[in-house]
Amino acid sequence: MRRLLGALVAALLVAVATTAAVPRPATAAQQAQDSSKPVVVGSGSDPIDVRVVDLEDAVVAGAARGEDGQGGWFVTAAGSVTAFGNATHLGDLAAIDLVEPIVAMASTPSGNGYWLAASDGGVFAFGDAPFRGSAGDIDLVEPIVAMASTPSGNGYWLAASDGGVFAFGDAPFRGSTGAILLDQPVRAMVSTPSGGGYWLAAEDGGVFAFGDAPFLGSTGGVAPTAAVVDMIALSGDGYWLVTEAGTTVAFGTAPPPPQVQSSGTVVAAERAGSQLWLVQHPTLDVVSAWQSGGLSSRAEADIVAAAADHGATSVVSHTGTIRVLSVTRRGSVVDAAAPGWQIPFTARAIDPSAAAVFVGGEVAGALDRGEVVMGRTTANLRGARPGDQVTFLGGDDVARTRTIGAVVSEGRTGAELLFGDADGRSFGLDRASSVWITGIDDADALTAALQQLESQHAYLSFGRSWDPATPDPDSVLSTLRLKVLLGEFDYRYRSGDEIEMDPRWVADNIVVTDVPIIGRIRCNRAAVDDLSAALAQIEAAGLASLIDVGDTRRNGGCWYARRIRGTSGDAISRHAWGLAVDINPASNPWGRPPTMDMRIVEIFRANGFAWGGTWTRPDGMHFEWTGRTDQSS
């Protein structure tokens, strides 16, 4: 059975797929209707009605209308407001070309008005919400991310990602974290019932209390499994932290929180009375089509045409590797390669205009502004945050700098860094790798069309997010996972495909050892025990004669500091990591039907290695370490 997805595409499908097998898609409207059914979660003696609302993927914030829990509003990054329940649409900014996206929303106590706040501090008032000023004319150090109103409705606060607070109207300034170097950016702000204080919540669950807001606890040094995206104050003595996975954590006198099995990424939460409303990115059915080594221009055009013929939305994804020089904040270095060296980063580029439906409105907005979006694990590895500057080298060897416009899960970026496609093409990130398709009217008809294209284009494959998940014994670890497990290295070019790697990383990771059958070999120390075990089992099974030792020593081997051969760009070979072993390369060349004995394959798989022989373009010589289950999960 062919491989369903490459590691990066698989990450995207995990992010947008439902948590269980779903029926074939009908229309986008039917999908939204089906996914917004209420879920009732018990909380002590009081049930909490949790409604998961999939309005628009660009939804960034919400506000409740009063305390009865019967309605409210949600706003998109473009400023379009949607009313639900008994709330009335009081105006929005949909017809205005905003300078910066909307990021926050708050309602008046009467429930007959609301404010919208943009990332540059601009404030827009509707209904009976009075305009009391904005930070639009202030040169902000960090962008605005949250907003809260006073109990009187005559004032409000704006909070920036660094915890800076700006007070307007009768909102008192009670302090901020603007002068503190936070581990993670602020994501939410709520005021106390009296209006005499407020809390700020950071992405890692850190809580900061000011004025009459008591500190009731935080996640401390144990960060939640998903990033905190919102905070809800249930009284002056209790609050919930809501994560992007839909889970909530209670502090103080707050009742046990509802735990919702979310099938998407939660971007905002709003409490009204006994109800908790979660706004999440839509649950999408996605088809992804790709071609080994990159899509040819003809294959790309045929796939996009097939999607259009079946009323579907598609976006072309371009992938590659760029060389990062540094990450800086306000002129100070956050992380950097040594002078003259670079750090390899996986990168992806997509069209911002089509990105919102796949990766979210705030991501699409950042790409449209010419900014880069960084994966959260990647940011955590180096202490990066929105607003930082990334300087890198593209395929033309020209140094460029981009602002980090958003930090989101790698399930949404599909790479360490995500660019807009026009921006990516400007520095050589132009290799079309796959086409993502959603909004499918007739899944069977589209499947038939793609199957026809498979017969016309060599090495073309496609996968569907709603197909039952089947374990792939030959899937490999992502580059990011390798960095987490083994650390990352600086590198620089030598002649041809060869690279020079950070000698400290090489000394820490690459060892010379003797293994059964092959003898002396140089590999990553993380893989040598599993390699030795596999070869010992092959020897014990009487299969050693099936390995051509001379060919393997001359043309195979393990550690070789080079880029991937046969592809464009700067992708680093797994041989440079010392994790790939080539066995019998002469009789199992890349791109040819493999002749490897399957008994050898199964022994390698049992010892933590993937085999390249089942890949879309087979690589029968290639065995790549992925670790045992407990190491690679």
Side-chain angles (χ1 to χ4, degrees):
M1 180 177 181
R2 66 173 183 271
R3 301 179 71 201
L4 288 180
L5 295 171
L8 295 180
V9 177
L12 171 75
L13 296 187
V14 169
V16 298
T18 56
T19 56
V22 297
R24 291 171 179 168
T27 66
Q30 288 172 322
Q31 291 176 19
Q33 182 180 14
D34 291 342
S35 60
S36 61
K37 294 178 180 178
V39 179
V40 179
V41 180
S43 176
S45 59
D46 297 320
I48 297 177
D49 189 11
V50 183
R51 302 174 188 267
V52 180
V53 181
D54 295 331
L55 295 176
E56 280 286 338
D57 195 48
V59 170
V60 294
R65 182 183 185 275
E67 290 295 326
D68 60 5
Q70 299 301 307
W73 306 269
F74 292 113
V75 64
T76 71
S80 175
V81 173
T82 299
F84 64 89
N86 64 2
T88 301
H89 186 272
L90 301 170
D92 62 22
L93 304 170
I96 298 176
D97 186 13
L98 296 173
V99 176
E100 296 293 338
I102 296 299
V103 294
M105 184 180 200
S107 60
T108 60
S110 70
N112 295 315
Y114 46 77
W115 297 272
L116 307 180
S119 63
D120 62 357
V123 174
F124 307 87
F126 300 90
D128 66 0
F131 177 76
R132 299 302 187 204
S134 76
D137 57 352
I138 299 174
D139 186 14
L140 298 173
V141 175
E142 299 288 348
I144 297 299
V145 294
M147 183 181 199
S149 62
T150 62
S152 69
N154 290 316
Y156 42 81
W157 298 270
L158 300 178
S161 63
D162 63 354
V165 174
F166 305 86
F168 303 92
D170 65 358
F173 176 77
R174 300 302 190 198
S176 74
T177 64
I180 302 174
L181 184 59
L182 302 177
D183 291 333
Q184 292 294 325
V186 164
R187 290 291 296 268
M189 179 185 200
V190 290
S191 65
T192 60
S194 70
Y198 42 81
W199 294 277
L200 302 177
E203 190 171 280
D204 60 358
V207 174
F208 307 90
F210 301 93
D212 66 359
F215 176 75
L216 303 172
S218 70
T219 61
V222 182
T225 55
V228 168
V229 294
D230 217 336
M231 184 180 193
I232 295 175
L234 283 81
S235 67
D237 297 310
Y239 46 76
W240 287 339
L241 297 181
V242 183
T243 74
E244 67 180 10
T247 57
T248 56
V249 184
F251 297 92
T253 61
Q259 301 299 332
V260 184
Q261 184 64 44
S262 174
S263 61
T265 301
V266 174
V267 297
E270 187 62 38
R271 174 180 176 265
S274 62
Q275 298 184 84
L276 175 67
W277 296 77
L278 301 181
V279 187
Q280 69 174 21
H281 293 300
T283 299
L284 300 177
D285 290 301
V286 176
V287 172
S288 181
W290 69 96
Q291 196 172 22
S292 178
L295 287 170
S296 67
S297 57
R298 184 180 165 218
E300 176 187 342
D302 286 350
I303 296 166
V304 170
D309 289 344
H310 293 83
T313 298
S314 66
V315 63
V316 179
S317 170
H318 304 81
T319 59
T321 298
I322 62 172
R323 295 164 284 156
V324 171
L325 303 176
S326 65
V327 178
T328 58
R329 180 179 304 139
R330 306 175 199 170
S332 298
V333 174
V334 174
D335 186 49
W341 296 69
Q342 305 97 42
I343 307 170
F345 270 51
T346 58
R348 184 179 293 274
I350 57 176
D351 180 2
S353 64
V357 69
F358 292 96
V359 296
E362 81 278 27
V363 174
L367 300 182
D368 193 51
R369 297 191 298 273
E371 298 169 340
V372 64
V373 177
M374 182 175 283
R376 181 165 292 112
T377 303
T378 301
N380 290 343
L381 284 176
R382 59 204 78 258
R385 57 189 295 177
D388 290 351
Q389 306 286 308
V390 179
T391 300
F392 62 92
L393 296 174
D396 54 6
D397 290 328
V398 175
R400 291 174 170 81
T401 298
R402 297 289 184 271
T403 298
I404 300 175
V407 173
V408 301
S409 69
E410 276 79 11
R412 293 170 63 191
T413 60
E416 294 176 88
L417 293 174
L418 182 66
F419 296 86
D421 60 349
D423 190 17
R425 283 195 297 273
S426 72
F427 55 82
L429 191 61
D430 53 6
R431 182 173 68 94
S433 58
S434 60
V435 178
W436 304 339
I437 306 169
T438 194
I440 305 160
D441 289 332
D442 188 332
D444 289 338
L446 178 61
T447 297
L450 293 177
Q451 288 173 335
Q452 180 65 31
L453 292 180
E454 278 186 315
S455 66
Q456 299 173 11
H457 300 280
Y459 308 119
L460 181 65
S461 296
F462 70 93
R464 308 185 305 182
S465 64
W466 62 90
D467 287 333
T470 55
D472 182 357
D474 298 319
S475 63
V476 299
L477 299 179
S478 68
T479 298
L480 178 60
R481 180 62 177 156
L482 292 181
K483 289 184 177 183
V484 172
L485 287 173
L486 308 173
E488 65 183 3
F489 51 80
D490 297 354
Y491 78 115
R492 57 189 178 189
Y493 287 164
R494 296 183 67 184
S495 60
D497 293 324
E498 293 185 348
I499 60 173
E500 181 179 358
M501 299 170 61
D502 180 354
R504 294 168 298 180
W505 187 92
V506 173
D508 289 342
N509 290 275
I510 304 301
V511 296
V512 178
T513 188
D514 288 319
V515 296
I517 304 175
I518 297 174
R520 181 138 295 202
I521 196 167
R522 182 173 294 177
C523 277
N524 194 300
R525 68 172 68 248
V528 291
D529 287 346
D530 289 332
L531 176 61
S532 293
L535 292 169
Q537 288 182 31
I538 291 171
E539 191 171 48
L543 303 175
S545 62
L546 298 176
I547 295 180
D548 186 333
V549 176
D551 180 35
T552 298
R553 286 177 177 172
R554 288 191 305 272
N555 305 309
C558 184
W559 182 62
Y560 187 0
R562 63 174 174 83
R563 291 175 283 169
I564 296 178
R565 293 169 176 162
T567 63
S568 59
D570 299 300
I572 303 300
S573 169
R574 295 305 163 85
H575 285 284
W577 290 86
L579 300 175
V581 180
D582 289 341
I583 304 292
N584 297 354
S587 57
N588 290 272
W590 177 67
R592 300 289 299 276
T595 62
M596 190 70 64
D597 190 291
M598 289 306 295
R599 291 172 293 178
I600 290 178
V601 171
E602 292 304 329
I603 290 175
F604 266 101
R605 284 173 174 167
N607 286 277
F609 286 83
W611 181 48
T614 63
W615 296 352
T616 305
R617 182 174 295 189
D619 193 359
M621 74 180 86
H622 187 93
F623 291 94
E624 183 172 326
W625 183 83
T626 62
R628 312 287 180 137
T629 301
D630 59 343
Q631 292 174 307
S632 58
S633 60

